[in-house]
Amino acid sequence: MTRRKTKNITGLSRIEGIRYHDVWIGLICLSCGSLNNIRIGLKLLDPKTTYETAEWECVKCGYLHSKNSDLPFEHWNEDFTVAESIKAQRFWEAFFRIATEHPESYWKQCNTCGRILPFSAFSKHSGWGPLERQMECRSCKGAINAVLNPKRTKEQLHESSIRRRIADLLLEGENETIDMEDLFKRFDRCCFKTKQPLDSNRRDTWAVDHILPSKWLYPLTKENAALLSTEANNNKRDKWPSEFYTNNELIELAKRTGADLELLSSKTPKINTIINVDKCVGRYLQVRERSHLPKRINELKKILVDYNLVDKLSPGNKKLLGFIK
Ligand SMILES: [Zn+2]
Ligand SMILES: [Zn+2]
């Protein structure tokens, strides 16, 4: 698969022997404040059992984190700190629960920089280990991506966000209103990528994937909409479908939406040339009355040239934009 190739191209080597699927506990010592990391293995802990049995010893000061230990807080009253008190027991219960209750509670070791880092330092990788996170941390991923996409400098990222914004403006009025209930039905109320069930009432947990991105001038339509979890959609963003979905997923997607499979599976992005460029340009020039017109025209001309769409303009618009005299 591509992963092996990636490794060779980047020249960034992985650290041998790191068990990157393993979960770790991150523990700030109650007594000395040091960070301790304890390797747990491939199974997440059960909070209740952990409270009953854990004995986590601080490597720095030796304090034992266990429900049988007195709390080491000198400024607390003794009736709160003696292990036998109900107050201390409630403390311990919550203490072990915080460290174990969710996948997000855990830590993990990056096999590229070797650091043990909290859950949020790793990006999603479905089906990978108990935490379903990638083997390298997001910082290392940044370095790897810089090698893979050396052209994406800060300036180009800016350029690309302008392009996206202009494309979005051009498409205003071309987008259809999506019937969400119908969308949920078509996707069996599950994220198409991760298959996790989604609840239409919890609006922050799901998103409509613009399958063929607006950046390449595809409006949002019934055929161009997929149901994704918010997280999967954040990973998808502006990606061309074949960069994000597997071949099997593309086939399934075309079946469910009626989209053109050949287009979805094309290796490189294709600009939507079926769109009525004249109509879009007319609308683009009219909306947002108060924004800076010369700048707007320049940005528009650039995208029309880059996307090879100048020939699709009417003589009137060609003249208006200064493509012909
Ligand atoms: Zn300590
Ligand atoms: Zn790293």
Side-chain angles (χ1 to χ4, degrees), residues 229-249:
S229 65
T230 307
E231 198 162 37
N233 191 54
N234 287 342
N235 291 333
K236 162 73 163 55
R237 268 180 292 156
D238 274 353
K239 287 190 192 113
W240 190 252
S242 66
E243 280 179 67
F244 180 70
Y245 293 112
T246 64
N247 284 345
N248 283 341
E249 285 166 349

Side-chain angles (χ1 to χ4, degrees), residues 110-115 117 122 135-141:
C110 168
N111 81 336
T112 306
C113 67
R115 293 179 300 162
L117 297 165
F122 298 84
M135 57 186 178
E136 63 282 307
C137 73
R138 285 159 58 197
S139 311
C140 291
K141 192 77 185 173

Side-chain angles (χ1 to χ4, degrees), residues 29-34 36 58-63 65:
C29 174
L30 294 185
S31 179
C32 74
S34 301
N36 287 256
C58 173
V59 287
K60 186 99 179 277
C61 73
Y63 177 78
H65 298 76

Side-chain angles (χ1 to χ4, degrees), residues 6 10 12 14 112 136 139-149:
T6 300
T10 62
L12 235 187
R14 311 282 184 186
T112 306
E136 63 282 307
S139 311
C140 291
K141 192 77 185 173
I144 291 167
N145 284 349
V147 179
L148 295 179
N149 309 312

Side-chain angles (χ1 to χ4, degrees), residues 35-303:
L35 171 63
N36 287 256
N37 287 110
I38 303 165
R39 199 217 316 267
I40 301 301
L42 289 170
K43 257 191 92 183
L44 304 188
L45 296 175
D46 167 54
K48 184 125 202 325
T49 319
T50 309
Y51 160 67
E52 295 292 347
T53 60
E55 293 192 322
W56 295 342
E57 190 180 344
C58 173
V59 287
K60 186 99 179 277
C61 73
Y63 177 78
L64 198 63
H65 298 76
S66 147
K67 75 173 170 58
N68 301 318
S69 296
D70 293 344
L71 300 178
F73 304 135
E74 276 161 20
H75 57 296
W76 282 25
N77 283 337
E78 204 178 305
D79 60 321
F80 276 84
T81 56
V82 288
E84 292 73 27
S85 78
I86 186 87
K87 294 144 186 157
Q89 287 309 306
R90 289 283 154 79
F91 179 97
W92 282 123
E93 236 178 293
F95 173 87
F96 288 112
R97 194 182 327 120
I98 291 166
T100 57
E101 62 187 335
H102 305 301
E104 300 87 57
S105 317
Y106 293 83
W107 293 48
K108 183 178 144 73
Q109 188 169 23
C110 168
N111 81 336
T112 306
C113 67
R115 293 179 300 162
I116 301 157
L117 297 165
F119 180 88
S120 62
F122 298 84
S123 297
K124 176 100 182 165
H125 192 319
S126 297
W128 264 49
L131 299 182
E132 301 204 303
R133 298 280 119 176
Q134 297 189 335
M135 57 186 178
E136 63 282 307
C137 73
R138 285 159 58 197
S139 311
C140 291
K141 192 77 185 173
I144 291 167
N145 284 349
V147 179
L148 295 179
N149 309 312
K151 286 194 212 113
R152 282 173 78 79
T153 60
K154 205 171 168 192
E155 206 167 280
Q156 268 151 336
L157 283 172
H158 180 60
E159 193 91 312
S160 139
S161 81
I162 289 180
R163 181 175 290 193
R164 195 202 151 145
R165 182 170 52 80
I166 308 248
D168 281 341
L169 291 174
L170 284 170
L171 290 174
E172 265 178 26
E174 303 292 311
N175 296 322
E176 288 172 8
T177 310
I178 301 295
D179 179 343
M180 295 306 171
E181 189 44 41
D182 178 59
L183 181 75
F184 267 80
K185 262 190 215 142
R186 249 180 309 133
F187 285 91
D188 302 325
R189 318 196 88 79
C190 286
C191 169
F192 182 69
K193 188 72 191 176
T194 65
K195 311 300 174 214
Q196 75 186 83
L198 296 171
D199 177 353
S200 57
N201 293 319
R202 294 188 53 207
R203 190 59 191 89
D204 56 324
T205 61
W206 55 271
V208 181
D209 170 32
H210 212 119
I211 304 171
L212 297 157
S214 61
K215 185 177 164 183
W216 306 104
L217 300 178
Y218 293 89
L220 189 61
T221 59
K222 189 177 162 186
E223 294 75 36
N224 200 26
L227 181 62
L228 290 181
S229 65
T230 307
E231 198 162 37
N233 191 54
N234 287 342
N235 291 333
K236 162 73 163 55
R237 268 180 292 156
D238 274 353
K239 287 190 192 113
W240 190 252
S242 66
E243 280 179 67
F244 180 70
Y245 293 112
T246 64
N247 284 345
N248 283 341
E249 285 166 349
L250 290 172
I251 294 167
E252 182 62 30
L253 198 53
K255 261 193 227 160
R256 291 200 196 204
T257 61
D260 176 356
L261 181 58
E262 203 181 324
L263 183 59
L264 294 186
S265 55
S266 132
K267 284 284 160 231
T268 51
K270 292 206 179 341
I271 292 152
N272 181 12
T273 50
I274 300 164
I275 195 160
N276 186 336
V277 183
D278 260 321
K279 206 169 123 203
C280 291
V281 165
R283 206 169 35 225
Y284 174 87
L285 290 174
Q286 270 158 26
V287 290
R288 284 167 184 68
E289 200 43 55
R290 272 177 301 168
S291 64
H292 196 42
L293 189 58
K295 189 175 162 218
R296 229 186 317 154
I297 291 174
N298 267 331
E299 291 174 348
L300 173 64
K301 285 175 75 168
K302 201 161 179 311
I303 200 172

